Amino acid sequence: MAINLCESFRAMFYTPFYLPFSLGTYEAEGVDVTLTTSPSLDTVAEQLRDGIADVYWGGPMRIMVMRDKNREPEILGFSEAITRDPFFLIGKKLNPNFELKDLLDLRFASVSEVPTPWMCLQEDLRRADIDPATLDREPGRTMQENVEALVSGKVDVIQLFQPYAEQVLASNAGSIWYAQASRGYCTYTTLYATKDMIAAQPDVLHRMTRAMYRCQKWLHSVKPEEIASSVAEFFPDIAPDILASAAKRYIDLGVWGKDPHLPRAGFERLRDSLVSGGLINHRPEFEDCVHNTFADAVIVEDPPAA
């Protein structure tokens, strides 16, 4: 069966999902996979149900939001790749002693493109006994617009992912104050499909998961420059040294998982953030949203790295 795999959007932290294409592991595992980009993130469930896409990658956030609306566990995550938060807080000046409470006295711009980065950060604030509503927060600009606002002095600290963060550092326009990955497991991205797809095509999805695992092994065994080279075709406008620096930072922070098992701790940390942030009203159960059967099987099989 040919699989239409749909990406949520193009992003450097999704590197593990591009590797099966650049390293050829889908083909090596005997599965025909075509990569497309989502026409709409508001209709993921419908696209999967109607066969417009067979498998998606994206955040378990979307699985939980869909379940919160429909109250049915229709979509399940089955192969995790991004196991920690890939976002950073970037300030204009060096601040090695930064603490979250410092945000109370600063002009802060959060990410507008997707809800998860702010949802997770506001939970960090709550756990530090800080009311997120008391921040002087600007939520409406894009990451590129926030970089410009930081440079011009309109804000003091901004929220970015790679390669924006590395580009700011390389231009001496700012420095990293806080890596959101430092909170620990917080599941950010997995492959997911409908329960019907999982039941109908277990061998195909098993092979996809195996292909992912082989790439995860490769990812953690090579130099950042090799990672950058492997995904350069997906980011033609990003300089190779920026991609390599971004890859090294994500590796060092543990952003990219070493195997496809989706951990309960990461799921629950994300779930707590979505509930406290008001994005969902009900607390979904781990077992209703996650299908680790393929991941656990390929870990036991222990295939060679790509």
Side-chain angles (χ1 to χ4, degrees):
M1 175 184 178
I3 294 293
N4 179 13
L5 172 59
C6 203
E7 63 177 339
S8 297
F9 53 87
R10 187 60 48 90
M12 198 262 169
F13 73 87
Y14 289 149
T15 284
F17 295 105
Y18 302 123
L19 291 179
F21 296 99
S22 61
L23 300 180
T25 55
Y26 282 142
E27 183 179 3
E29 291 298 325
V31 59
D32 180 11
V33 181
T34 299
L35 178 63
T36 58
T37 301
S38 175
S40 171
L41 293 180
D42 295 328
T43 60
V44 171
E46 292 80 0
Q47 292 170 52
L48 289 169
R49 186 171 56 241
D50 297 340
I52 297 172
D54 300 305
V55 178
Y56 249 93
W57 78 62
M61 174 273 292
R62 300 199 180 278
I63 297 174
M64 293 189 223
V65 169
M66 292 171 200
R67 194 178 192 284
D68 195 58
K69 292 179 180 178
N70 302 327
R71 304 309 302 277
E72 291 294 334
E74 181 182 0
I75 296 171
L76 301 175
F78 66 87
S79 183
E80 186 203 58
I82 319 303
T83 200
R84 295 191 183 212
D85 192 327
F87 281 80
F88 303 88
L89 297 188
I90 308 284
K92 196 165 187 178
K93 300 178 180 179
L94 289 173
N95 192 354
N97 299 315
F98 172 77
E99 297 181 9
L100 288 174
K101 63 180 178 63
D102 296 343
L103 291 176
L104 292 169
D105 300 317
L106 300 169
R107 296 165 299 169
F108 167 58
S110 57
V111 171
S112 67
E113 290 91 333
V114 287
T116 310
W118 168 244
M119 289 291 106
C120 292
L121 181 61
Q122 64 85 33
E123 176 68 9
D124 292 345
L125 293 167
R126 293 179 194 277
R127 295 190 182 200
D129 295 321
I130 300 167
D131 181 358
T134 61
L135 266 60
D136 180 6
R137 180 171 73 98
E138 298 183 19
R141 287 191 292 259
T142 66
M143 282 182 278
Q144 181 57 54
E145 289 169 341
N146 280 333
V147 170
E148 295 165 4
L150 181 70
V151 171
S152 67
K154 294 180 180 178
V155 295
D156 302 304
V157 58
I158 59 178
Q159 192 178 35
L160 299 174
F161 64 24
Q162 299 284 26
Y164 290 107
E166 224 60 45
Q167 289 171 328
V168 170
L169 298 181
S171 64
N172 294 316
S175 63
I176 293 176
W177 289 7
Y178 176 61
Q180 294 187 196
S182 64
R183 78 170 66 93
Y185 285 131
C186 186
T187 295
Y188 233 77
T189 320
T190 181
L191 294 179
Y192 49 80
T194 63
K195 292 176 68 176
D196 288 345
M197 179 66 179
I198 290 171
Q201 300 292 337
D203 181 62
V204 172
L205 301 190
H206 177 103
R207 289 172 183 269
M208 288 186 69
T209 305
R210 184 180 165 96
M212 285 292 302
Y213 186 29
R214 292 181 63 187
C215 289
Q216 288 175 300
K217 285 185 171 186
W218 179 90
L219 182 68
H220 289 280
S221 66
V222 300
K223 295 180 179 179
E225 290 77 13
E226 293 179 72
I227 300 172
S229 178
S230 72
V231 297
E233 63 183 292
F234 297 97
F235 303 98
D237 298 328
I238 307 300
D241 60 327
I242 293 293
L243 284 177
S245 296
K248 183 180 187 306
R249 198 175 302 278
Y250 275 159
I251 289 286
D252 291 345
L253 288 168
V255 168
W256 293 327
K258 294 183 177 182
D259 63 60
H261 179 91
L262 199 160
R264 181 183 293 271
F267 175 88
E268 293 182 346
R269 183 64 173 78
L270 177 62
R271 180 188 63 189
D272 291 347
S273 301
L274 304 185
V275 172
S276 68
L279 192 64
I280 60 175
N281 297 311
H282 304 281
R283 296 174 61 84
E285 295 298 327
F286 176 78
E287 292 78 10
D288 287 337
C289 299
V290 176
H291 184 86
N292 270 326
T293 302
F294 305 135
D296 293 343
V298 301
I299 291 170
V300 172
E301 291 168 7
D302 193 24

